[in-house]
Amino acid sequence: MTPAQRHADSRQALGLVILGATGSIGSSTLDVVARHPQRYSVRALTAHTSTQRLLKLCDRHRPRQAVLSGCVEDAALRRRFAEAGCELRFGPAALAEVAAAVECDAVMAAIVGAAGLPATLAAACAGKRVLLANKEALVMAGPLFMRAAGEAGAVLLPIDSEHNAVFQCLPQEGAGVSLRGVRRIQLTASGGPFRVTPLERLARVTPDEACAHPNWVMGRKISVDSATMMNKGLEVIEAHWLFGLPAERIGVLIHPQSVVHSLVEYLDGSVIAQLSHPDMRVPIAHALGFPERIDSGARTLDLGAVGQLSFGQPDAARFPCLELAYGALRAGGNVPAVLNAANEVAVQAFLAGRLRFTGIAPVIEEALARVAAGTAASLEHVMDADARARRAAADSVMRLMGQAA
Ligand code: NAD
Ligand code: MG
């Protein structure tokens, strides 16, 4: 029985755990949830260090559990959360425990970066319905993750707008989708804020310019990833694991308006696409309600007002990170984990003003060259590759800083 059927049968609210509740996806999720107070009940919320924001959310949504993964034990804070009817836990280990153990109908995995892997994987291993926003978890540990989900009977529903679009456009089979008659998929990409910026200016762009995405409001890490198009590279790898397609059957199309969220091309030449305003509440509501449709709060799409939709090929010279990601997918094993970790270090350094925007791709390329390729058969292998890539990337950042000084 799907959660939607259970809700319809018993009129009982569906329990939700939201990992990364204070972030951009977390906030959009709670916005959709608040539109359906009879349908959903929030069981647990987590944040890293945003204490006051988490407390406010707990006051409003009354979960029984909350986690501050980046904070140490604090009795006064614990008492304050208890007044909101909420047991507060501290430290990163509590994330995976809450993800696996709290009784619920779905876990929204919306922590940013590699930090989300243990809890997202724990939810999959516990056989939960996982609403997957934390693409980095799948990039780092795709085989492990998919095997764990399969063995535990976990259902994965994509939140990333492109993957959610592909999910909606593929033939539905049981609770999932199939590849019957599919030739390939095309992920759309806006091209980010620097799609037409003169190439010689890219070395001087600032973090705020990189985070000023033309169509989406997102966290700072994914905003920089969109500007380099590493985000699309990570999404190609994510699509490979979610849908079981090889790299050569996953294309990328530049589409500056972000209205067509992705396309599925069939053997007979038909192409099916999913369209909406660029508003993450659309894929979130789709996954929350699946297989039913629920109101997301997003405006309806008026194509007459949009007027024109345009498409083009990504420029390899402008977006070198995209090819690095395709290369990592083809190489397999621990290479995607190395790519992801080096990217996180490079993006953090750029956001902190320690690396130029144009230094991001070279830092990743060096880490890929320096860290030996190997297996990703266990979480230990993946975390080892992640740690070695972080050290290699940190060295490269230091060297490039020295050159720039
Ligand atoms: P964000 O930075 O806005 O929020 C991140 C959340 O994770 C916050 O609640 C924060 O407290 C928590 N967090 C940060 N570091 C943590 C750590 N070390 N340990 C535990 N928790 C930590 O990020 P976001 O934009 O909401 O993105 C979340 C995920 O969703 C990312 O994987 C991103 O790629 C994916 N995603 C986001 C969007 C979007 O529109 N924002 C779209 C598609 C996919
Ligand atoms: Mg996306």
Side-chain angles (χ1 to χ4, degrees):
M1 191 187 267
T2 66
Q5 285 165 335
R6 192 155 47 250
H7 170 69
D9 274 12
S10 62
R11 287 283 135 203
Q12 248 182 18
L14 301 173
L16 298 177
V17 169
I18 304 177
L19 307 171
T22 52
S24 160
I25 293 289
S27 306
S28 295
T29 304
L30 287 169
D31 181 284
V32 177
V33 164
R35 291 167 194 278
H36 305 276
Q38 307 304 319
R39 191 180 177 100
Y40 299 109
S41 124
V42 176
R43 300 273 163 82
L45 295 176
T46 85
H48 198 47
T49 50
S50 326
T51 308
Q52 291 310 314
R53 284 174 70 188
L54 186 64
L55 183 55
K56 226 167 139 181
L57 294 178
C58 290
D59 272 332
R60 166 119 202 254
H61 297 279
R62 315 297 291 184
R64 275 178 242 141
Q65 302 239 16
V67 177
L68 277 168
S69 49
C71 299
V72 289
E73 194 72 40
D74 178 329
L77 210 50
R78 191 193 284 281
R79 276 195 299 279
R80 181 59 193 90
F81 273 74
E83 285 164 20
C86 186
E87 184 198 345
L88 177 64
R89 303 170 66 180
F90 299 89
L95 287 175
E97 286 163 26
V98 162
V102 170
E103 209 179 296
C104 66
D105 293 283
V107 175
M108 169 59 80
I111 291 172
V112 61
L117 174 60
T120 309
L121 188 59
C125 289
K128 303 284 187 188
R129 168 175 286 239
V130 181
L131 315 188
L132 186 72
N134 178 216
K135 68 190 88 185
E136 295 91 344
L138 205 50
V139 168
M140 293 172 73
L144 208 66
F145 198 93
M146 296 310 289
R147 193 170 353 108
E151 284 172 7
V155 173
L156 298 184
L157 291 171
I159 293 299
D160 222 338
S161 56
E162 298 76 3
H163 306 72
N164 186 271
V166 169
F167 185 90
Q168 293 195 46
C169 297
L170 285 173
Q172 302 291 314
E173 210 162 87
V177 289
S178 86
L179 291 175
R180 240 179 322 114
V182 172
R183 183 177 282 149
R184 63 172 185 157
I185 62 174
Q186 296 254 45
L187 306 181
T188 52
S190 68
F194 306 137
R195 182 174 55 87
V196 292
T197 304
L199 287 181
E200 61 279 10
R201 225 189 77 66
L202 291 183
R204 285 175 286 113
V205 297
T206 65
D208 283 346
E209 286 175 310
C211 290
H213 196 280
N215 307 333
W216 301 97
V217 180
M218 309 182 283
R220 282 173 84 75
K221 189 262 178 182
I222 186 176
S223 295
V224 176
D225 285 348
S226 298
T228 61
M229 269 186 84
M230 178 56 93
N231 183 48
K232 211 50 51 182
L234 299 177
E235 289 181 359
V236 168
I237 302 174
E238 181 186 11
H240 165 76
W241 291 114
L242 281 176
F243 304 119
L245 284 161
E248 60 278 10
R249 288 171 66 194
I250 308 171
V252 170
L253 256 188
I254 297 275
H255 167 48
Q257 296 83 7
S258 301
V259 166
V260 175
H261 298 300
S262 278
L263 312 95
V264 175
E265 187 182 319
Y266 285 84
L267 291 173
D268 59 7
S270 298
V271 176
I272 301 184
Q274 184 261 349
L275 287 71
S276 77
H277 273 295
D279 184 330
M280 285 307 294
R281 291 176 302 175
V282 176
I284 288 169
H286 172 266
L288 277 173
F290 186 79
E292 284 178 18
R293 297 279 179 172
I294 61 170
D295 174 34
S296 68
R299 282 187 295 150
T300 48
L301 180 64
D302 178 354
L303 280 175
V306 173
Q308 288 200 334
L309 298 177
S310 50
F311 300 91
Q313 293 304 322
D315 171 356
R318 181 179 294 277
F319 299 117
C321 287
L322 185 58
E323 193 40 50
L324 292 179
Y326 267 107
L329 172 56
R330 288 192 200 96
N334 64 3
V335 181
V338 172
L339 173 96
N340 178 69
N343 179 55
E344 287 190 17
V345 170
V347 169
Q348 227 169 36
F350 168 67
L351 284 172
R354 293 188 289 111
L355 181 70
R356 288 176 194 268
F357 182 76
T358 44
I360 294 175
V363 166
I364 300 164
E365 210 169 352
E366 279 185 22
L368 287 165
R370 281 179 52 191
V371 178
T375 169
S378 70
L379 192 56
E380 288 68 38
H381 286 118
V382 171
M383 295 320 291
D384 177 59
D386 177 275
R388 282 186 291 140
R390 281 173 200 275
R391 285 195 292 275
D395 282 354
S396 301
V397 170
M398 291 291 280
R399 212 196 56 255
L400 289 172
M401 265 173 74
Q403 285 172 7

PDB file of all heavy atoms in Angstrom, residues 103-120:
ATOM      1  N   GLU A 103       9.714   6.431  13.217  1.00  0.00           N
ATOM      2  CA  GLU A 103       8.631   5.840  12.422  1.00  0.00           C
ATOM      3  C   GLU A 103       8.039   6.913  11.508  1.00  0.00           C
ATOM      4  O   GLU A 103       7.651   7.994  11.983  1.00  0.00           O
ATOM      5  CB  GLU A 103       7.560   5.310  13.363  1.00  0.00           C
ATOM      6  CG  GLU A 103       6.840   4.136  12.757  1.00  0.00           C
ATOM      7  CD  GLU A 103       5.808   3.607  13.715  1.00  0.00           C
ATOM      8  OE1 GLU A 103       6.195   3.122  14.794  1.00  0.00           O
ATOM      9  OE2 GLU A 103       4.633   3.731  13.374  1.00  0.00           O
ATOM     10  N   CYS A 104       8.011   6.634  10.208  1.00  0.00           N
ATOM     11  CA  CYS A 104       7.517   7.666   9.283  1.00  0.00           C
ATOM     12  C   CYS A 104       7.160   7.030   7.942  1.00  0.00           C
ATOM     13  O   CYS A 104       7.500   5.873   7.688  1.00  0.00           O
ATOM     14  CB  CYS A 104       8.581   8.738   9.073  1.00  0.00           C
ATOM     15  SG  CYS A 104      10.033   8.134   8.221  1.00  0.00           S
ATOM     16  N   ASP A 105       6.488   7.790   7.090  1.00  0.00           N
ATOM     17  CA  ASP A 105       6.133   7.312   5.755  1.00  0.00           C
ATOM     18  C   ASP A 105       7.132   7.751   4.700  1.00  0.00           C
ATOM     19  O   ASP A 105       7.164   7.190   3.611  1.00  0.00           O
ATOM     20  CB  ASP A 105       4.728   7.809   5.399  1.00  0.00           C
ATOM     21  CG  ASP A 105       3.687   7.156   6.286  1.00  0.00           C
ATOM     22  OD1 ASP A 105       3.366   5.986   6.035  1.00  0.00           O
ATOM     23  OD2 ASP A 105       3.247   7.794   7.262  1.00  0.00           O
ATOM     24  N   ALA A 106       7.896   8.805   4.985  1.00  0.00           N
ATOM     25  CA  ALA A 106       8.911   9.251   4.020  1.00  0.00           C
ATOM     26  C   ALA A 106       9.981  10.072   4.718  1.00  0.00           C
ATOM     27  O   ALA A 106       9.719  10.754   5.705  1.00  0.00           O
ATOM     28  CB  ALA A 106       8.261  10.093   2.918  1.00  0.00           C
ATOM     29  N   VAL A 107      11.205   9.968   4.162  1.00  0.00           N
ATOM     30  CA  VAL A 107      12.333  10.771   4.643  1.00  0.00           C
ATOM     31  C   VAL A 107      12.751  11.702   3.519  1.00  0.00           C
ATOM     32  O   VAL A 107      13.086  11.237   2.429  1.00  0.00           O
ATOM     33  CB  VAL A 107      13.538   9.874   5.028  1.00  0.00           C
ATOM     34  CG1 VAL A 107      14.745  10.727   5.413  1.00  0.00           C
ATOM     35  CG2 VAL A 107      13.172   8.920   6.147  1.00  0.00           C
ATOM     36  N   MET A 108      12.695  13.004   3.749  1.00  0.00           N
ATOM     37  CA  MET A 108      13.217  13.963   2.776  1.00  0.00           C
ATOM     38  C   MET A 108      14.708  14.119   3.044  1.00  0.00           C
ATOM     39  O   MET A 108      15.116  14.578   4.109  1.00  0.00           O
ATOM     40  CB  MET A 108      12.501  15.314   2.939  1.00  0.00           C
ATOM     41  CG  MET A 108      13.127  16.456   2.176  1.00  0.00           C
ATOM     42  SD  MET A 108      13.223  16.209   0.390  1.00  0.00           S
ATOM     43  CE  MET A 108      11.563  16.630  -0.098  1.00  0.00           C
ATOM     44  N   ALA A 109      15.542  13.706   2.064  1.00  0.00           N
ATOM     45  CA  ALA A 109      16.996  13.779   2.224  1.00  0.00           C
ATOM     46  C   ALA A 109      17.480  15.074   1.592  1.00  0.00           C
ATOM     47  O   ALA A 109      17.741  15.124   0.396  1.00  0.00           O
ATOM     48  CB  ALA A 109      17.652  12.570   1.566  1.00  0.00           C
ATOM     49  N   ALA A 110      17.578  16.136   2.382  1.00  0.00           N
ATOM     50  CA  ALA A 110      17.900  17.470   1.836  1.00  0.00           C
ATOM     51  C   ALA A 110      19.078  18.127   2.540  1.00  0.00           C
ATOM     52  O   ALA A 110      19.161  19.348   2.638  1.00  0.00           O
ATOM     53  CB  ALA A 110      16.667  18.376   1.902  1.00  0.00           C
ATOM     54  N   ILE A 111      20.005  17.282   3.040  1.00  0.00           N
ATOM     55  CA  ILE A 111      21.273  17.830   3.538  1.00  0.00           C
ATOM     56  C   ILE A 111      22.137  18.095   2.313  1.00  0.00           C
ATOM     57  O   ILE A 111      22.035  17.379   1.314  1.00  0.00           O
ATOM     58  CB  ILE A 111      21.955  16.818   4.498  1.00  0.00           C
ATOM     59  CG1 ILE A 111      21.127  16.709   5.780  1.00  0.00           C
ATOM     60  CG2 ILE A 111      23.395  17.209   4.804  1.00  0.00           C
ATOM     61  CD1 ILE A 111      21.582  15.611   6.733  1.00  0.00           C
ATOM     62  N   VAL A 112      22.980  19.119   2.371  1.00  0.00           N
ATOM     63  CA  VAL A 112      23.812  19.414   1.205  1.00  0.00           C
ATOM     64  C   VAL A 112      25.155  18.681   1.322  1.00  0.00           C
ATOM     65  O   VAL A 112      25.755  18.616   2.389  1.00  0.00           O
ATOM     66  CB  VAL A 112      24.012  20.952   1.039  1.00  0.00           C
ATOM     67  CG1 VAL A 112      24.700  21.575   2.235  1.00  0.00           C
ATOM     68  CG2 VAL A 112      24.780  21.259  -0.245  1.00  0.00           C
ATOM     69  N   GLY A 113      25.587  18.091   0.211  1.00  0.00           N
ATOM     70  CA  GLY A 113      26.940  17.538   0.110  1.00  0.00           C
ATOM     71  C   GLY A 113      27.116  16.155   0.702  1.00  0.00           C
ATOM     72  O   GLY A 113      26.161  15.483   1.107  1.00  0.00           O
ATOM     73  N   ALA A 114      28.426  15.767   0.755  1.00  0.00           N
ATOM     74  CA  ALA A 114      28.798  14.438   1.245  1.00  0.00           C
ATOM     75  C   ALA A 114      28.310  14.217   2.669  1.00  0.00           C
ATOM     76  O   ALA A 114      28.079  13.066   3.073  1.00  0.00           O
ATOM     77  CB  ALA A 114      30.322  14.291   1.200  1.00  0.00           C
ATOM     78  N   ALA A 115      28.129  15.280   3.433  1.00  0.00           N
ATOM     79  CA  ALA A 115      27.674  15.155   4.827  1.00  0.00           C
ATOM     80  C   ALA A 115      26.323  14.448   4.904  1.00  0.00           C
ATOM     81  O   ALA A 115      25.969  13.897   5.941  1.00  0.00           O
ATOM     82  CB  ALA A 115      27.573  16.540   5.464  1.00  0.00           C
ATOM     83  N   GLY A 116      25.586  14.441   3.809  1.00  0.00           N
ATOM     84  CA  GLY A 116      24.260  13.817   3.814  1.00  0.00           C
ATOM     85  C   GLY A 116      24.290  12.320   3.569  1.00  0.00           C
ATOM     86  O   GLY A 116      23.277  11.640   3.755  1.00  0.00           O
ATOM     87  N   LEU A 117      25.457  11.802   3.145  1.00  0.00           N
ATOM     88  CA  LEU A 117      25.490  10.379   2.751  1.00  0.00           C
ATOM     89  C   LEU A 117      25.108   9.411   3.875  1.00  0.00           C
ATOM     90  O   LEU A 117      24.220   8.576   3.668  1.00  0.00           O
ATOM     91  CB  LEU A 117      26.868  10.018   2.151  1.00  0.00           C
ATOM     92  CG  LEU A 117      27.076   8.527   1.844  1.00  0.00           C
ATOM     93  CD1 LEU A 117      26.059   8.003   0.839  1.00  0.00           C
ATOM     94  CD2 LEU A 117      28.489   8.264   1.321  1.00  0.00           C
ATOM     95  N   PRO A 118      25.740   9.493   5.066  1.00  0.00           N
ATOM     96  CA  PRO A 118      25.412   8.470   6.075  1.00  0.00           C
ATOM     97  C   PRO A 118      23.918   8.411   6.412  1.00  0.00           C
ATOM     98  O   PRO A 118      23.342   7.313   6.483  1.00  0.00           O
ATOM     99  CB  PRO A 118      26.239   8.895   7.300  1.00  0.00           C
ATOM    100  CG  PRO A 118      27.361   9.717   6.726  1.00  0.00           C
ATOM    101  CD  PRO A 118      26.792  10.409   5.530  1.00  0.00           C
ATOM    102  N   ALA A 119      23.282   9.566   6.584  1.00  0.00           N
ATOM    103  CA  ALA A 119      21.858   9.561   6.975  1.00  0.00           C
ATOM    104  C   ALA A 119      20.974   9.120   5.811  1.00  0.00           C
ATOM    105  O   ALA A 119      19.999   8.377   6.001  1.00  0.00           O
ATOM    106  CB  ALA A 119      21.449  10.946   7.462  1.00  0.00           C
ATOM    107  N   THR A 120      21.295   9.550   4.596  1.00  0.00           N
ATOM    108  CA  THR A 120      20.481   9.173   3.442  1.00  0.00           C
ATOM    109  C   THR A 120      20.589   7.663   3.202  1.00  0.00           C
ATOM    110  O   THR A 120      19.590   6.985   2.953  1.00  0.00           O
ATOM    111  CB  THR A 120      20.925   9.972   2.190  1.00  0.00           C
ATOM    112  OG1 THR A 120      20.953  11.356   2.537  1.00  0.00           O
ATOM    113  CG2 THR A 120      19.987   9.773   1.030  1.00  0.00           C
TER     114      THR A 120
END
